[in-house]
Amino acid sequence: MSTLALKPTRQERIVNVDALRGFALFGILVVNITAFSSPFYGLGVADPAFSAPLDKMVQFVIALLFETKFYLLFSFLFGYSFTLQMQSAERAGEAFVPRLLRRQAGLWAIGLLHAILLFHGDILTTYAVLGMVLLVLRDIEERTALRLAFWLVAVTALAWAALSTLAALDPVAIDLASARAEGEAAMAAYRGSPSTVVGQHLQELGTVWVVIGLMQGPCALAMFLVGLVAGKRELFVRLDDYRPLMRRLLVAGLLVGLPGAAAYAFCSIYLVGTFWELPGLAIGLATAPLLTGAYVALAMLVFERFKAVPRLLAPAGRMALSNYLLQSLVCSVLFYAYGFRLMGEVSPLGGAAVAVALFGCQLVLSRWWMGRFAYGPLEWLLRAITIAAWPRWRKPAMAS
C-alpha cells in the first residue's frame, strides 16, 4: 500500500474536528462534575468530607490533566468554527454579521437559562459575549492575532502572580471557618428545594463574573484568536503541512505545559488555602495553553492511527451544545434538589466514575441521534435562530 493511500481524506479530517470537540466535551464534564458534587469547589478550602489520600490523589489528577485545559480546547474550537460560520454565510449568499448577531444572542439566552437553572459555571454566556469581540477582530492580521493571544494569557498570568506577591507582602489570615460555613450553606441550598437551587445560582452568579473577567474570559478570547487563525489556515484540512507544528506542540506540552500543570495541581490540591495557591494558579494559567496544544497534536495522531476513535467521538462533538446541557441536566438531577440530592455524598473517584459512565451513554445516544437527525436538538434551535428560518430536522431517507 502506498504512503499516499494512508493519508486521511478531507472528509476524515472534518470528522477529526468533530471528534476533537467530543474529546473536549468529556474533559469539561470531568471538571464540572467536581463542582456539582462538592460545594467547596473553588472556595479555597478543602472539602472536609473527602480528605483521604485517595481523594487527594484523584483531585490532583483532575487538576493536572483537566482543569484550565479543556475549556481552552473548547475555546480554540469555537474560534475555528467561527471561520466555518463565515464560509457558510458566504455559500448561502447572506451577510455574515446579522447571522452571527442572531447566533450569539441565541447562545447567550440559552446560556443564561443554563446558568440560572442548572449550573452557575456556565461558559455559553461568556462565549456569546466574547464572540462579539471576535466579530470585531475577524479581519485581524494573523500575526497580530497570535501576538494578542499571547499577551492576553501573559498579562492574565502576570496579574495573578502580582496578586500573590501583594498577598505575600501583606498576608491576611485565611478564614477557614467562614469558607467552610459558606460551603455548608451552599450545600444546604443545593439540597433544599428547586427554588433554593435557583436562588443559590443567582447568588453565585453575582461573584462568578469576577473569575470570568480576570481569568476565564481573557484566556478564552486568546484561544478564540488562535482558533480563528487555525481556521483561516484550514489547519485540520491541511494537516500534512503542519506536522512540524504538531511535533513542536507535543514537545512544548511535555516540557513546559505538563510541569506547569503539575505545579498548579499540587498548589491547588495539597496547598489549598495557603499563600502558594495563587502562584500555582499563575503558573497554571501561563502554561495551560501549551498543554492544550499538546492535546490537539496528540489527538490528531491518535485519530489518524486509530480510525475507530474519531468515529466514536464525532457524533457527540457534532451535537456538543445539546450534550453540554444534557450533562448539566443529569448532574443537577443527581446532585441537586431536582432529584437525588447527592451533593457532598459522592467521592472524587465516584464523581469521575459518574463522568465516564455519563459520557459513555452520551456517545451511544449521540450516535443514534445523528444517524437519524441532521442536528442535535439545541443545535437545530440555534441554527433556526441564526438563519431566521426552520432548518431541515431529519436526514433525508437513503435511496434503496
Side-chain angles (χ1 to χ4, degrees):
M1 183 179 294
S2 67
T3 303
L4 181 62
L6 292 175
K7 292 182 179 179
T9 66
R10 183 184 182 95
Q11 181 59 36
E12 285 177 325
R13 282 170 173 164
I14 293 174
V15 170
N16 286 349
V17 176
D18 291 328
L20 189 60
R21 191 175 290 109
F23 175 55
L25 193 68
F26 171 68
I28 287 173
L29 172 61
V30 171
V31 175
N32 285 354
I33 206 167
T34 61
F36 278 103
S37 60
S38 174
F40 296 94
Y41 182 80
L43 290 184
V45 61
D47 190 333
F50 299 105
S51 57
L54 178 60
D55 299 324
K56 292 289 188 181
M57 183 179 69
V58 174
Q59 292 168 347
F60 175 82
V61 171
I62 292 173
L64 172 70
L65 299 178
F66 293 91
E67 285 184 10
T68 74
K69 290 86 178 175
F70 279 86
Y71 88 90
L72 294 181
L73 177 55
F74 224 92
S75 301
F76 167 79
L77 292 170
F78 185 99
Y80 193 94
S81 298
F82 187 91
T83 64
L84 303 181
Q85 289 288 323
M86 290 193 292
Q87 295 168 9
S88 177
E90 183 179 352
R91 288 194 301 268
E94 297 182 9
F96 175 63
V97 173
R99 281 172 62 115
L100 187 82
L101 291 176
R102 291 192 296 267
R103 180 180 178 82
Q104 296 307 104
L107 189 65
W108 186 85
I110 292 171
L112 183 63
L113 290 173
H114 176 235
I116 294 173
L117 298 176
L118 300 179
F119 184 45
H120 70 277
D122 167 77
I123 195 68
L124 301 179
T125 49
T126 302
Y127 281 7
V129 174
L130 293 180
M132 304 301 292
V133 179
L134 194 62
L135 176 64
V136 174
L137 298 175
R138 68 188 183 279
D139 295 323
I140 190 173
E141 199 269 334
E142 290 181 1
R143 289 186 178 180
T144 303
L146 295 177
R147 284 196 293 267
L148 178 57
F150 170 82
W151 284 111
L152 281 168
V153 173
V155 170
T156 301
L158 288 172
W160 284 96
L163 186 61
S164 68
T165 301
L166 292 175
L169 294 175
D170 185 19
V172 177
I174 297 174
D175 191 347
L176 296 179
S178 294
R180 286 172 181 160
E182 184 179 348
E184 294 293 343
M187 182 158 63
Y190 281 126
R191 295 174 62 173
S193 67
S195 63
T196 61
V197 171
V198 172
Q200 183 65 23
H201 282 157
L202 292 173
Q203 176 182 327
E204 294 183 358
L205 284 174
T207 58
V208 75
W209 300 111
V210 176
V211 176
I212 292 173
L214 298 180
M215 183 172 65
Q216 268 194 344
C219 294
L221 180 58
M223 297 306 288
F224 276 19
L225 291 167
V226 175
L228 180 72
V229 173
K232 289 181 176 180
R233 295 185 180 183
E234 296 187 313
L235 173 68
F236 295 115
V237 175
R238 301 169 50 212
L239 195 58
D240 290 333
D241 298 335
Y242 292 98
R243 294 196 185 280
L245 173 63
M246 295 293 114
R247 287 193 290 269
R248 290 197 295 271
L249 287 174
L250 280 172
V251 172
L254 180 63
L255 297 183
V256 181
L258 192 59
Y264 161 75
F266 186 82
C267 292
S268 63
I269 301 304
Y270 292 101
L271 300 178
V272 62
T274 71
F275 157 78
W276 294 104
E277 192 174 1
L278 285 180
L281 175 61
I283 294 171
L285 291 173
T287 58
L290 296 177
L291 189 53
T292 300
Y295 285 172
V296 173
L298 183 60
M300 291 301 105
L301 179 64
V302 171
F303 292 170
E304 289 190 10
R305 294 195 176 182
F306 304 96
K307 303 296 186 183
V309 176
R311 288 197 296 269
L312 178 67
L313 290 171
R318 281 197 289 273
M319 50 184 294
L321 177 60
S322 296
N323 277 320
Y324 173 64
L325 268 71
L326 179 59
Q327 289 172 355
S328 293
L329 176 61
V330 172
C331 288
S332 293
V333 171
L334 288 176
F335 297 106
Y336 292 170
Y338 296 136
F340 296 95
R341 295 180 169 89
L342 293 178
M343 175 176 274
E345 303 292 334
V346 179
S347 70
L349 181 60
V354 171
V356 171
L358 174 54
F359 188 68
C361 292
Q362 287 188 301
L363 291 177
V364 175
L365 177 60
S366 298
R367 185 178 183 86
W368 177 87
W369 184 278
M370 295 308 301
R372 290 159 178 78
F373 300 96
Y375 306 97
L378 287 173
E379 284 75 12
W380 179 87
L381 175 62
L382 190 58
R383 179 158 180 79
I385 296 170
T386 301
I387 65 176
W390 299 118
R392 173 172 49 88
W393 177 248
R394 285 189 173 272
K395 286 186 174 181
M398 298 292 292
S400 59

